[in-house]
Amino acid sequence: MHNQPNSPTISPLRQRLIDDMNLRHFGHETQRNYLRDIGRLASFLGRSPDTASADDLRRFQIWQQSEGVPVPTMNSVVSALRFFFNTTVDRPDLARRLVRLAQPRKLPVVLSRQEVTRLLDATTCLKHQAALAVAYGSGLRVSEVASLKVADVDSERMLLRVERGKGGRGRNAMLSEDLLTLLRQWWQVGHRQGVMRRDGWLFPGINTLRPISTRQLHRVVVEAARKADVDKRVGLHTLRHSFATHLLEDGVDIRVIQVLLGHAKLNNTALYTKVATRTVRSVTSPLDRLGLFKMEESAPDS
């Protein structure tokens, strides 16, 4: 979201907020969400959000709750408003007044390896298959998959460069041999079709000067799951969850997985220990070691 500073349709306050987000390399989705959420406060107040008082913020949050706004949405608004008051208008006293609500953390939906195979095979074109394979094979977020450029594929070091991860943090993601083979096939097809350039997007959208949208990627994975008869609620993030869980089940150290996922906190990665069923099944219960309830072998027939 790189708006022109001198656009007559943008207020100075909005432009300052956009500049603050651009300076910190916030992604397009994050910027759009922050502008929307801060706009919610402005609509509630009926005036500019920088004129809010501590009591205004309290009334706003109480109103959201009374309107049945989901807890995750309310917390997203808190994140946007904290950035606005801390950074754009330099009112940290107001940022501290915003209450983040506790919410039960749901376990992520994880696909089996067989389900992932069926899903990838059910895609309708090579571009879509390659995009979903990146999400599963490298553990990328949907926005990170969409933002990849051809130049981000480092075949010498076998890495994918993620320039703008969550919070503007860049990192290197793993690039497997099979994934590299698939991406090379997609490059050959896309280049022949005239939709891919060496300095362009790895997964271009309908307008090849822009990347594929996250909404389109979501539609692709939902349709592939339907065709593959995967009876689970699936989004592109499901493939990222499956990547982490399958690595954990294969014995990869959880701190390595944390780095591959780009998690700032280990607690976020530790969630996958709760859904790594192969890890659970590989452990012998201490009850079994007592040997109290073993079935007696029947005597062979004479």
Side-chain angles (χ1 to χ4, degrees), residues 14-30:
R14 183 183 178 91
Q15 186 60 57
R16 184 173 177 180
L17 171 60
I18 292 171
D19 291 341
D20 286 337
M21 292 189 291
N22 283 334
L23 186 63
R24 288 156 183 81
H25 300 295
F26 283 13
H28 173 77
E29 297 289 331
T30 302

Side-chain angles (χ1 to χ4, degrees), residues 261-282:
L261 291 174
H263 280 164
K265 297 178 181 179
L266 184 61
N267 286 347
N268 294 331
T269 316
L271 181 66
Y272 296 109
T273 61
K274 299 180 181 180
V275 289
T277 56
R278 182 185 292 186
T279 303
V280 174
R281 293 196 305 268
S282 68

